[in-house]
Amino acid sequence: QQPVQSPQAVILREGEDAVINCSSSKALYSVHWYRQKHGEAPVFLMILLKGGEQKGHDKISASFNEKKQQSSLYLTASQLSYSGTYFCGTEPLSGNTGKLIFGQGTTLQVKP
Amino acid sequence: DVKVTQSSRYLVKRTGEKVFLECVQDMDHENMFWYRQDPGLGLRLIYFSYDVKMKEKGDIPEGYSVSREKKERFSLILESASTNQTSMYLCASSLFSLVRPRNNEQFFGPGTRLTVL
């Protein structure tokens, strides 16, 4: 029941772009994105709500296609500081507790 | 600066010991969570609490119990630790609201790496 993230890992050079996908088998109300740097706590990046919105945060943006139950995280002109593991957390449309179901994570490594 | 703190960064215990992991948040959040993080498996929810003394099982509650006597504190208990409970344990908290849309961003603690020998 965990959402499936792809790819599992990606290696980039500085300045390159990457896309991380998150796909759920359940109807979703929202999708959260978090980044965890090595040895640190996961940190919230953004939330996308039902309605098919797209959000941006500096050079990191995301989209949410509620019909396909999919979200994508776009990292453009990647910087060394983008390295880490990215998790999507999904909130099902049914149920109203605020619990999230997290994907297995995508490890991103940006090299100079 | 909002904070979620966990009692230990590293813990080593023996098989069969009773283990307590403590988590404290200073944001007056109603929701608190315990996750287990293993390579390739992501964050899996062990238990969730939406109010003092209220708890709900997550996806992998077997072998664990929790306690929430005060709003700011959420404890994870391993009644009899086993080697397959060696893992990173993360605590998180968030606001609670029944009304959508809502901001239920989760704030995470630094984690406790538990090794059971």
Side-chain angles (χ1 to χ4, degrees), chain B residues 72-83:
Chain B
E72 68 271 17
R73 189 179 296 269
F74 192 33
S75 302
L76 180 70
I77 303 154
L78 287 68
E79 296 289 342
S80 177
S82 64
T83 54

Side-chain angles (χ1 to χ4, degrees), chain B residues 9-94:
Chain B
R9 289 301 302 267
Y10 300 93
L11 209 53
V12 179
K13 295 291 181 181
R14 296 224 174 259
T15 302
E17 281 192 83
K18 191 168 185 176
V19 181
F20 293 87
L21 302 183
E22 302 282 333
C23 175
V24 178
Q25 51 96 3
D26 65 0
M27 296 164 280
D28 202 35
H29 284 168
E30 294 83 6
N31 288 349
M32 294 189 75
F33 308 86
W34 274 107
Y35 294 96
R36 174 174 169 158
Q37 182 175 17
D38 298 290
L41 297 177
L43 303 172
R44 293 181 293 165
L45 183 64
I46 304 171
Y47 265 99
F48 158 57
S49 170
Y50 50 91
D51 200 352
V52 174
K53 297 190 186 295
M54 306 303 288
K55 62 186 178 186
E56 193 174 301
K57 290 181 181 179
D59 299 317
I60 51 166
E62 297 79 19
Y64 304 95
S65 62
V66 290
S67 171
R68 192 161 179 206
E69 298 295 321
K70 293 185 177 182
K71 189 176 184 180
E72 68 271 17
R73 189 179 296 269
F74 192 33
S75 302
L76 180 70
I77 303 154
L78 287 68
E79 296 289 342
S80 177
S82 64
T83 54
N84 63 11
Q85 292 178 309
T86 292
S87 187
M88 171 67 84
Y89 291 88
L90 289 168
C91 174
S93 71
S94 73

